[in-house]
Amino acid sequence: ITRCALAMVLAAGIMVSLPMLIGIDFIVDVILKDRRTYYSMLLFIPSIPAVAAASALKGYFYGMQDVAPTALSQVAEQVVRIGVVIAVTRYSGGMELEYACALATVGMVLGEVSNFAVLYVIYRFKRRKRPAAARAKLLPKRTAIKGLLHISLPVSINRSVTSMMSAMEMILIPRRLLAGGLGYKQSIEEYGKLTGMAMPLLYFPSLVASSLATTLVPAISEAISLRNFRSANYRISKSIQITFILGFTVGALFLSYPGEIGRMIYPKEDIGYMLFMLSFGCVFIYLQQVLIGILNGLGKQGGLLIDSIVGYGIRIGFVYFLVPLYGIKGYVWGTIASMVIACGLNLWLIIKTTGMTVDIRGWIVKPGLVALAVFSLSRYMYELVGLLNVGPRLVTVMAVALNIVLALVLTLAAGVLSVEELIRLLGINRKKR
């Protein structure tokens, strides 16, 4: 199955790369409207087959519920990518922007290639360790490909539609900022601050939600295939609860220290107001990732596609009509509104499919009260740490750490999570007594 999937996605990657290579002038001149992106786009195209091939091997390890190889490959990817970017920034003084960006793109491409290489080496190693009897029992290729297409086509259509709508949104934002009266340089700067500075900070804690979403797909599929619906519903409910805890806590932190966190990471840029606005959407941004994983595990790709189209449609509407009037704030409002509606639709579909009971007290009330307590005490925490006179950056780090500890203690005290559940969540093995 893995070999068939690898061949299919490699073919798909090449089929995407060739038209992009042939039509590169049209892409940079007509769609992106910036000729300086030519070399970056040209260097980016070869990474598409590598990304596609890596996705098949990631799917194999996730399906086997073995997350260590993918974690290792992603670390290797980031080390290579960041290493190349640091080298480029060190030696690109005086270089024109388009060539410096192109060299940075080389870092991304080499990172993707190293990601695939690590996965492939581990896959080959683990495959050799399997017993001969396991290697002998193979599906016919036609059966494997038919089964893969049956599952992957709805997912691929979903991702293709949402990717096209996302690309439309990304292209529209600078243009609508221009339409609102901002200059070209200002519009690109505002857009860059949001997508390159504020959003990555907001999405950084989502590594918990995205990891949870990825591992939920095989876990829920396994429970349903064994007709163990009680186990499936428990996993779904617990993952939603954990996401609410994460979203409320992170939202309270960004709501409490938007300026301090922004200045700590980007001292020369004012992104505090962006972090403040985005903090209201933390819960829904993280929840959406988990709900997508649950729906994929339940095999509800069709419903997921409709919900995704509705969400992106709302965002594009906000971009087109409100961004010229309110600037980047209009896009942030649209992002939050689309996430709220998409999460509601996805959650309704999950409940309709599984018959699961909504645990308002465990999902929302208790985590919400914990977050409210953290927010109420956050300023006192900051002033308390400030007495140490250790500098603004270290004060911010220590205050955030204290608030996280406080949230953890309150979460356990309120019975939102038990100690045993926390130990399992942290991946610590403990022998049963």
Side-chain angles (χ1 to χ4, degrees), residues 96-279:
E96 290 186 26
L97 182 62
E98 59 183 303
Y99 299 116
C101 289
L103 288 174
T105 306
V106 172
M108 184 192 71
V109 173
L110 293 176
E112 296 293 354
V113 171
S114 63
N115 184 1
F116 168 70
V118 170
L119 286 169
Y120 185 73
V121 169
I122 296 174
Y123 170 72
R124 295 286 297 182
F125 176 74
K126 285 183 175 286
R127 190 164 165 263
R128 286 177 182 173
K129 290 181 68 176
R130 286 183 303 168
R135 292 198 299 269
K137 298 176 182 178
L138 298 177
L139 278 174
K141 288 182 181 178
R142 184 178 298 179
T143 305
I145 291 172
K146 185 178 178 181
L148 285 168
L149 288 173
H150 177 73
I151 296 170
S152 63
L153 279 177
V155 179
S156 299
I157 293 169
N158 188 347
R159 292 298 295 271
S160 298
V161 171
T162 54
S163 293
M164 284 189 287
M165 296 186 77
S166 177
M168 188 188 306
E169 174 192 339
M170 298 299 178
I171 293 167
L172 268 178
I173 291 171
R175 296 186 182 187
R176 299 311 292 168
L177 286 170
L178 284 170
L182 282 180
Y184 180 77
K185 184 179 179 181
Q186 284 180 299
S187 64
I188 294 298
E189 283 180 355
E190 283 292 295
Y191 180 57
K193 283 182 182 180
L194 178 69
T195 58
M197 297 180 182
M199 294 293 275
L201 282 177
L202 196 77
Y203 275 97
F204 178 71
S206 73
L207 60 93
V208 177
S210 60
S211 302
L212 193 61
T214 303
T215 54
L216 272 174
V217 177
I220 293 172
S221 298
E222 179 188 43
I224 290 175
S225 66
L226 297 172
R227 304 190 66 80
N228 191 349
F229 301 112
R230 184 179 178 184
S231 174
N233 281 357
Y234 173 77
R235 290 173 181 178
I236 292 170
S237 180
K238 186 54 66 175
S239 63
I240 292 173
Q241 184 188 45
I242 291 168
T243 308
F244 270 112
I245 296 168
L246 175 71
F248 278 126
T249 304
V250 174
L253 290 173
F254 279 118
L255 196 62
S256 303
Y257 310 124
E260 291 84 351
I261 294 173
R263 286 191 296 270
M264 180 180 68
I265 308 296
Y266 305 106
K268 295 182 181 179
E269 305 293 342
D270 179 23
I271 64 167
Y273 73 97
M274 292 183 180
L275 291 175
F276 180 81
M277 290 188 297
L278 288 168
S279 65

Side-chain angles (χ1 to χ4, degrees), residues 88-95:
V88 166
T89 54
R90 180 174 294 179
Y91 298 108
S92 62
M95 187 181 293

